[in-house]
Each structure stands twice: as C-alpha cells, then as structure tokens.
Amino acid sequence: MNKNPFSIYDFMGYLFPGVLCSVFLYLVFHFDGDMSKLTDVAQLKIALSNTNTGFDLDKSIMFVVFSYILGHIVSYMSSLTVEQFAIRVFDYPSVYLLEEKQKDYGQLWKTFFKTQAISSCIILKQVKIYLKFILKIIISILIFPISFSVFTFGYLFDLNGWVVRNLDKYLIDTIKKKQYLLANRLQINHPDVNDKKCDYHRIIQHYVYLNIPNSQKKTDNYIALYGFLRCISLIFAIGFDVVAFYSLKTIDTNAEWNYSLCILLLSLYGISYLTFLGFMKFYRRFTLENYMTLLSGMFDTSKPTDHI
C-alpha cells in the first residue's frame, strides 16, 4: 500500500512548531534582545512587514527546510523536558488510567526528584545521582510555567487530578481482563498489571493499530495533537524564561511599571501551561483510545495470532 511520505505528524509535530520557533528567533534577533519592543504593536508590524518583500521560491524553500529541521530539534527537546516532567510527576497514562488511587502532594515531589544511578563505584554512583538531581532542577526552571503551576494551583484547584483522572472500577477490571486474554491470543506470558515497569501498553498499542484499521486515523490524530501541543508548550515556556530574564535585568525601582511587558509575561506563562494541559489531555486520549479499542474491538482474543 503506497502512503504519503509526509504524515500529519510531520506538519503538526515538526513543521508548525519549527515555523513558530523561527518567528520567535527572528523577533528576538531583530530587536537585539530588547524585549520591551515585543510589546509595541507598531514595532511588531514594522518588523513583520519588513519580511514581506514578495514571494521568493528559493527563500521559501530554505525557510520551510530550516523550520522543519528546527521543529525536529524542538520536538526532541520537548520530549526530554515537558514529556519527561509529566511522566516523572504523574506517570504514564497507561498507569494512572488504571490506578484506583491518585498521588498526594508529597508523592508528586518525590516521584519527580527521585534519582537512581547504577555503578560499581560508590563515588561515581553518588556523582551521577547529584548530576541527575541538578538536571531535574534545571528542567523545572526551563519549563517554569509548567512546573510551578503543577506544584501550586494545579494541585490546590485539583487541575492535576482532572488531567490524570482514572477510569471507573468496572472499566479498569474489564481492561485488565482483556489484557490477559490478549496475552493468550499472542501466546506470551501474562502481564503483571501491578508492575509499573511492565510496558504492556506498547503491545496493546501495536496490536490494535495493526489489527483494527478503523482506530488508526484517530490514533494518528491524537499523536499529532499531543506532539504539537508538547512542542508549543516548550516554545512558550522558553519564551517566558527569556522575557522574564530580560525583565529582571532591567528592573528599575524608580521607573513606572511596564504593564505591556507584564501582560506579555502572563500571556506566555498562560499559553505554556494551557498547551501543557492540552498535551496531557491528548496523551491521555491516545492511551484511552488504545484501551477502549482493545475492549470493544471486533476480534476474538481467545485465538492465537501472528499479526503484531
């Protein structure tokens, strides 16, 4: 079957975030790091109008290629920061969907900052642990709008609980039963549903994608959406860091408040956190789609299969 070499993820997960990041980089370098000019609508119009000098095929192709490459970098960085933060704090959706009890406040901190290292040398092991701990602090600062929100009003207003809410007991028990039936069908060992290190959802994901074609389109859309939102969340978080750093450098107690700069900071902060919530939403839906397809798909799990 011939398929288009470019999938929806190439556009949503790489190209669009790359274009947005390219625009941000252009504005920063165009204004020589003077973030106050980003709040001046007239200055922005002039900067953007200067780029519109007519259509140039070569420049357009170079811009698309550069944005696509930059999008790959942003996507990879977001998977190391935004996604890893979400996994460390809340765990994988395949886990918390089937959990009957949510984490308390102390567990959120503990699971994120908990570090382990393997080494035959005790000193080297301790060094690795300290380096990992420092790296986690750096990541939490880099994505400050996300990390601060999760550990403060995200918990106080139960936004965390809404994002990682589990399924009802009937669905949890039924899905776990289907997992055992699928293991019989695939002729593999039964999964330990209580073992968080057992990535059994990966098997479910590939099985339903290959054997139930009707679920493929929705799955592809969810992957593209959560990849897109994960990248956008990182871009706006870094944008907030850059503007906040500039604001701290230019603090003048005798000057009047720059309300436009404050609005810009709040906008970058809010968009970063809201897109993070969107990322968590579609990450959850992607996993739930696999579980529900396994649960309600039209196939016989009692018979062995070779298709996985």
Side-chain angles (χ1 to χ4, degrees):
M1 180 179 178
N2 295 326
K3 286 191 174 182
N4 192 321
F6 294 100
S7 66
I8 186 175
Y9 195 91
D10 286 294
F11 294 96
M12 298 289 289
Y14 301 135
L15 183 58
F16 294 162
V19 169
L20 178 61
C21 192
S22 298
V23 172
F24 274 10
L25 288 174
Y26 169 77
L27 291 174
V28 170
F29 285 109
H30 180 81
F31 292 136
D32 297 324
D34 189 354
M35 299 299 139
S36 62
K37 293 181 180 179
L38 291 175
T39 62
D40 191 329
V41 178
Q43 291 279 358
L44 280 175
K45 285 183 178 180
I46 294 173
L48 294 175
S49 63
N50 288 338
T51 64
N52 186 19
T53 57
F55 178 76
D56 188 317
L57 180 61
D58 293 338
K59 289 183 179 179
S60 298
I61 293 175
M62 287 300 297
F63 176 74
V64 170
V65 172
F66 175 77
S67 298
Y68 184 71
I69 295 172
L70 186 60
H72 274 274
I73 298 173
V74 172
S75 178
Y76 183 66
M77 291 300 297
S78 68
S79 68
L80 295 179
T81 54
V82 176
E83 185 170 352
Q84 284 301 311
F85 174 81
I87 292 171
R88 290 287 182 181
V89 174
F90 300 119
D91 222 320
Y92 288 95
S94 57
V95 175
Y96 63 70
L97 279 171
L98 304 182
E99 288 277 352
E100 297 184 12
K101 183 174 68 172
Q102 294 183 357
K103 295 180 180 179
D104 57 31
Y105 189 70
Q107 288 176 319
L108 295 179
W109 285 90
K110 183 179 179 181
T111 52
F112 177 67
F113 286 104
K114 182 180 179 181
T115 55
Q116 294 179 333
I118 300 174
S119 177
S120 57
C121 176
I122 297 178
I123 297 178
L124 184 59
K125 181 179 180 180
Q126 290 298 320
V127 170
K128 286 183 176 180
I129 290 175
Y130 286 132
L131 288 176
K132 285 185 176 181
F133 183 77
I134 293 171
L135 181 61
K136 288 183 178 182
I137 293 176
I138 293 173
I139 290 175
S140 63
I141 295 173
L142 184 67
I143 56 172
F144 178 79
I146 299 170
S147 57
F148 182 77
S149 299
V150 166
F151 290 126
T152 54
F153 60 81
Y155 180 81
L156 292 175
F157 296 104
D158 202 29
L159 293 176
N160 298 340
W162 178 80
V163 169
V164 298
R165 61 194 183 281
N166 58 1
L167 300 174
D168 61 76
K169 190 175 185 307
Y170 173 77
L171 281 177
I172 292 174
D173 293 340
T174 310
I175 290 171
K176 288 180 178 180
K177 181 179 178 181
K178 277 282 188 175
Q179 289 181 349
Y180 279 97
L181 293 175
L182 179 60
N184 290 336
R185 178 175 173 81
L186 299 176
Q187 298 180 335
I188 59 177
N189 293 333
H190 288 175
D192 184 356
V193 294
N194 297 317
D195 183 7
K196 295 184 179 181
K197 295 182 180 179
C198 173
D199 190 9
Y200 191 70
H201 174 259
R202 190 179 297 272
I203 297 176
I204 296 174
Q205 171 190 340
H206 283 273
Y207 181 83
V208 299
Y209 192 86
L210 293 174
N211 290 273
I212 308 178
N214 291 336
S215 69
Q216 293 179 2
K217 187 174 182 180
K218 289 182 70 175
T219 299
D220 291 340
N221 288 338
Y222 287 148
I223 293 175
L225 285 169
Y226 85 64
F228 170 75
L229 290 166
R230 185 187 65 199
C231 293
I232 299 303
S233 183
L234 176 64
I235 292 171
F236 278 96
I238 294 177
F240 172 85
D241 294 338
V242 172
V243 177
F245 179 73
Y246 166 82
S247 302
L248 292 174
K249 281 181 59 180
T250 58
I251 288 179
D252 186 356
T253 55
N254 297 320
E256 294 183 358
W257 277 87
N258 189 337
Y259 292 102
S260 298
L261 195 59
C262 292
I263 292 172
L264 177 61
L265 277 169
L266 289 174
S267 299
L268 292 170
Y269 185 100
I271 293 173
S272 178
Y273 181 57
L274 287 175
T275 48
F276 171 74
L277 292 179
F279 155 69
M280 293 293 294
K281 169 187 174 181
F282 286 106
Y283 199 13
R284 181 182 187 275
R285 282 194 176 183
F286 160 70
T287 307
L288 182 58
E289 177 68 19
N290 292 326
Y291 277 149
M292 296 309 295
T293 305
L294 175 70
L295 185 62
S296 58
M298 299 302 293
F299 58 91
D300 185 0
T301 53
S302 63
K303 296 179 181 180
T305 181
D306 299 323
H307 199 184
I308 187 172

